[in-house]
Amino acid sequence: MTEAGSKSVKLNNGVSIPSLGFGTFAGEIVPGEMYAAIIAALDAGYRHLDSAWFYKIESEVGRALKDWLDANPKYKREDIFITTKVWPHLMEPEDVKWSLETSLRDMGIDYVDAFLFHWPFAVEKTEEREVKKDKDGKYILNHERTSNLLPAWRAMESLQTSGKAKTIGVSNFTVAHLTNLLSSATIKPAINQIEIHPYFPNTALVDFCLANDVMPVAYSPLGSQNTKTDRSVLADPVLQEMAREKRCEVAQICIAWGLKRGYVVIPKSGNPARVRKNFEVVELSEEEIEKVGGVAKTLGNGDVGKRYVNPVGLFGFDIWAFWEKS
Ligand code: A2P
């Protein structure tokens, strides 16, 4: 085992980001469980928490952060890298700012280390700044705003200039979205948070990001276990065999593989023992990295593999299919 879990990498604006972060999306976790998981994560050595407006968990993140810092006075707020994100119904410039203010208030902090667009599209909102849905419960796409995200990005830039966000970035951006944003941004996005795991290596997008100095941050690096699927990354026979040989867990192999590929990885777990285990980074040889990178091919879809995160049920439309057509 190495101490790689506590390593950091530099973003394009000079800010350091711990390579191994802790995801706080608590979809499948009972209220309160995330509080204990965050305390366990900070105790284990994680110094990077990833949250979002959408997770509805930011008060719990803030409470855990405050309690942990109070109990560990040698650490300060500046020692923890905190990310949050703005949801697509808040993509008007004034709403982008409101979203960050709300997240800061809920977390009880006065700046975030990274503030991201959660998705590259905009939807309608209600007067109460909640997502507006049609009679079938579907999100309503705001086509005009979706086709021009620049005003929202300008609001992000002003948040970085004001110091309320040390870094700004995006999530779920494709090569086309990034190309567009990079050509018009005054402050370039420093991060693109995207799905990456052995069944979805996302290689073309990862390569594009790295070539353009945008740090990929891998969400669902274990293959998102709460998704109903016939094949699970953690049950992959090749990875299981490797884990047996190395006397470690498949989850640790997934994490080490991501770190070795040169990006930031943010696994999540509500279970304190697994939270700790995931921070123990194992070493992978070049041959093992290649072997892990090859398992996606066994799914029968070439190098592409299988994307798990596609919130069709939530949005009411398949956003990935929409982009492929547009
Ligand atoms: P749990 O919260 O019960 O630990 P991802 O980060 O890819 O979205 O995956 C998160 C899922 O993976 C959660 O369901 C989590 O369940 C599970 N998980 C996290 N760490 C491990 C591990 N070391 N072994 C097995 N499952 C894990």
Side-chain angles (χ1 to χ4, degrees):
M1 304 288 168
T2 72
E3 289 303 308
S6 49
K7 283 192 180 148
S8 288
V9 286
K10 276 248 159 71
L11 298 171
N12 65 12
N13 57 358
V15 169
S16 286
I17 181 170
S19 307
L20 186 48
F22 184 68
T24 67
F25 180 49
E28 73 272 30
I29 291 172
V30 295
E33 204 179 21
M34 188 46 80
Y35 172 90
I38 293 171
I39 298 283
L42 293 169
D43 279 344
Y46 292 81
R47 297 289 175 262
H48 170 179
L49 302 175
D50 179 83
S51 199
W53 177 92
F54 176 71
Y55 303 164
K56 306 274 183 203
I57 192 94
E58 291 182 307
S59 322
E60 207 164 309
V61 173
R63 244 181 338 108
L65 177 70
K66 179 176 186 313
D67 290 353
W68 189 83
L69 289 174
D70 286 349
N72 295 274
K74 74 173 173 157
Y75 293 103
K76 299 190 190 64
R77 157 71 186 91
E78 306 86 272
D79 296 318
I80 319 291
F81 191 102
I82 300 176
T83 298
T84 193
K85 317 181 191 85
V86 52
W87 199 242
H89 69 305
L90 298 173
M91 296 294 268
E92 293 298 332
E94 65 277 15
D95 292 333
V96 171
K97 293 181 183 172
W98 179 85
S99 180
L100 180 57
E101 293 292 351
T102 305
S103 293
L104 291 176
R105 188 198 61 209
D106 288 353
M107 289 194 279
I109 54 180
D110 53 16
Y111 70 91
V112 287
D113 297 275
F115 189 46
L116 315 181
F117 279 172
H118 210 140
W119 291 90
F121 65 88
V123 296
E124 301 292 341
K125 65 171 189 282
T126 67
E127 281 178 14
E128 294 76 36
R129 284 193 163 112
E130 291 294 333
V131 176
K132 189 172 184 174
K133 296 183 182 162
D134 70 10
K135 60 179 180 6
D136 301 319
K138 296 179 178 174
Y139 281 29
I140 306 159
L141 207 58
N142 179 332
H143 289 277
E144 195 186 330
R145 180 56 69 226
T146 297
S147 66
N148 180 14
L149 296 174
L150 191 57
W153 186 254
R154 294 282 181 242
M156 299 288 277
E157 290 175 335
S158 73
L159 289 170
Q160 178 167 323
T161 307
S162 75
K164 289 197 171 148
K166 301 275 181 219
T167 299
I168 52 175
V170 297
S171 180
N172 294 302
F173 268 47
T174 62
V175 169
H177 291 119
L178 270 180
T179 304
N180 201 3
L181 181 58
L182 287 168
S183 71
S184 49
T186 304
I187 301 178
K188 305 230 178 289
I191 288 171
N192 187 19
Q193 190 178 124
I194 49 178
E195 178 175 347
I196 320 175
H197 49 74
Y199 277 1
F200 193 65
N202 221 337
T203 307
L205 182 52
V206 167
D207 289 349
F208 180 87
C209 289
L210 292 173
N212 285 279
D213 221 0
V214 178
M215 180 58 68
V217 173
Y219 74 66
S220 292
L222 313 178
S224 191
Q225 303 309 302
N226 61 335
T227 310
K228 296 212 175 5
T229 170
D230 45 344
R231 292 280 299 263
S232 129
V233 175
L234 298 187
D236 181 84
V238 173
L239 300 183
Q240 287 204 336
E241 173 63 23
M242 192 183 289
R244 262 192 303 276
E245 276 168 17
K246 296 178 75 69
R247 296 171 190 274
C248 69
E249 296 187 6
V250 174
Q252 292 174 283
I253 291 177
C254 295
I255 293 166
W257 175 74
L259 295 175
K260 279 278 185 187
R261 290 176 92 211
Y263 46 77
V264 174
V265 181
I266 49 168
K268 60 182 179 290
S269 172
N271 175 307
R274 287 198 280 275
V275 168
R276 287 189 285 275
K277 200 61 166 166
N278 293 348
F279 197 72
E280 288 174 22
V281 177
V282 296
E283 269 302 324
L284 294 183
S285 66
E286 287 302 322
E287 197 187 320
E288 287 167 334
I289 293 166
E290 230 171 84
K291 208 166 177 186
V292 178
V295 296
K297 294 196 185 81
T298 64
L299 301 178
N301 189 19
D303 287 338
V304 176
K306 185 168 171 34
R307 180 194 294 288
Y308 288 126
V309 179
N310 189 356
V312 182
L314 178 68
F315 298 156
F317 46 81
D318 181 338
I319 195 69
W320 300 111
F322 173 78
W323 286 326
E324 269 158 30
K325 273 188 265 143
S326 59

